[in-house]
Amino acid sequence: MRLLSVLVLVVLEYSMVFAGGGDGFTRSLSDLSFDRVDYSVLTVQLESRESLNGRSRLDLLVQHNLKYLYHHKMNRARFLVAPDPQNVIGVMTEIFESSNRIGGLIDQGSGMMQDEPGVDQMKWVVEEIGAEARDLKARFADYFVEGHNSRFEVVVPKTRNASDQFRAFLRDGGRINRQLESKLDGYFLADSPGAVRVSDYSSSSIGTLVEALNQLSRVVLKEMRRLD
């Protein structure tokens, strides 16, 4: 039997672009060299993303965006000088790996529903997705910044059936993750870095989307445990 009540989860987040002037970070940018950067670890990860299928010369696209990131999107509050480009490529790779794992876990959960999984199996998927979202958010915020207010709303149904709760979680988690993948591609792999679209101001930020996944997983896990 389903209960008619629902929980509306609202995630609000704000981040500000750090405005640096003639500081050490800005001065260090002139000494950066991208000549020996190995992009393959990132581009191999990106080749599995459906949104990038058929995109040629991926190395050049990543390199072009990497230079823009250093000048406009790096978290300068964390660094006295610009970090090594190879380290930044490594962080970008970890971010995309987390995003891909979230998508894989959602697909895994959807496949599980064909075999009437146990509650512990469903809770494991919910926990893992939340953990990946937290890791992604921490890695992103450690190196990069966004510059606009953002919000996201999720309606979490209250039900006495764990399978119904899990299906709703997979549906909403999938919706959030599709938006997240699109935002990551736009942030790190823009065809024209720096170009601003009107839709950018109305869409949720990367930080807000991963926090929505995190909070959604926490709420759903709490509801599922309540049913034990």
Side-chain angles (χ1 to χ4, degrees):
M1 175 181 176
R2 297 185 182 181
L3 298 178
L4 297 179
S5 57
V6 297
L7 171 65
V8 179
L9 175 64
V10 181
V11 180
L12 299 172
E13 184 154 312
Y14 177 74
S15 61
M16 180 177 292
V17 173
F18 180 83
D23 57 9
F25 188 102
T26 300
R27 290 193 297 271
S28 70
L29 291 176
S30 61
D31 297 326
L32 276 182
S33 173
F34 298 89
D35 294 340
R36 297 184 179 180
V37 178
D38 179 8
Y39 298 98
S40 63
V41 64
L42 175 59
T43 54
V44 167
Q45 184 68 32
L46 293 173
E47 287 172 357
S48 65
R49 294 176 72 85
E50 293 182 3
S51 58
L52 298 175
N53 280 352
R55 177 171 278 176
S56 60
R57 305 177 71 186
L58 192 52
D59 281 8
L60 291 178
L61 181 68
V62 171
Q63 183 175 355
H64 189 44
N65 276 271
L66 181 61
K67 293 178 180 179
Y68 181 83
L69 289 172
Y70 267 95
H71 287 274
H72 301 283
K73 296 185 176 181
M74 199 68 66
N75 183 1
R76 299 189 182 193
R78 179 185 183 277
F79 300 102
L80 294 176
V81 296
D84 183 86
Q86 195 65 60
N87 292 341
V88 176
I89 288 293
V91 172
M92 291 168 63
T93 302
E94 292 172 352
I95 289 171
F96 280 105
E97 285 175 343
S98 284
S99 173
N100 287 342
R101 281 196 290 268
I102 290 170
L105 285 164
I106 291 171
D107 291 341
Q108 183 177 345
S110 298
M112 286 167 47
M113 295 308 293
Q114 301 175 13
D115 301 319
E116 298 183 2
V119 175
D120 286 342
Q121 291 177 287
M122 293 186 286
K123 287 193 296 187
W124 178 84
V125 172
V126 175
E127 285 183 293
E128 288 296 305
I129 289 175
E132 285 293 344
R134 291 190 294 275
D135 287 348
L136 196 162
K137 183 179 180 181
R139 289 191 183 100
F140 182 87
D142 206 24
Y143 273 71
F144 308 105
V145 293
E146 297 174 280
H148 67 281
N149 288 303
S150 181
R151 63 178 285 149
F152 196 90
E153 292 187 6
V154 183
V155 176
V156 181
K158 286 183 173 291
T159 172
R160 293 194 179 101
N161 187 297
S163 294
D164 289 344
Q165 191 70 261
F166 188 56
R167 286 191 185 91
F169 171 79
L170 293 174
R171 180 195 65 230
D172 291 331
R175 177 168 61 94
I176 296 170
N177 193 53
R178 286 190 294 274
Q179 293 186 44
L180 174 60
E181 289 180 344
S182 177
K183 291 296 292 188
L184 288 173
D185 289 349
Y187 189 95
F188 290 113
L189 303 166
D191 290 316
S192 301
V196 179
R197 299 167 299 180
V198 174
S199 59
D200 292 336
Y201 293 99
S202 59
S203 62
S204 298
S205 67
I206 293 169
T208 298
L209 290 168
V210 289
E211 182 58 22
L213 268 177
N214 175 38
Q215 291 194 26
L216 178 63
S217 69
R218 289 180 182 275
V219 170
V220 170
L221 193 60
K222 181 179 179 181
E223 290 296 308
M224 295 178 75
R225 286 171 176 165
R226 182 176 59 84
L227 299 174
D228 288 348

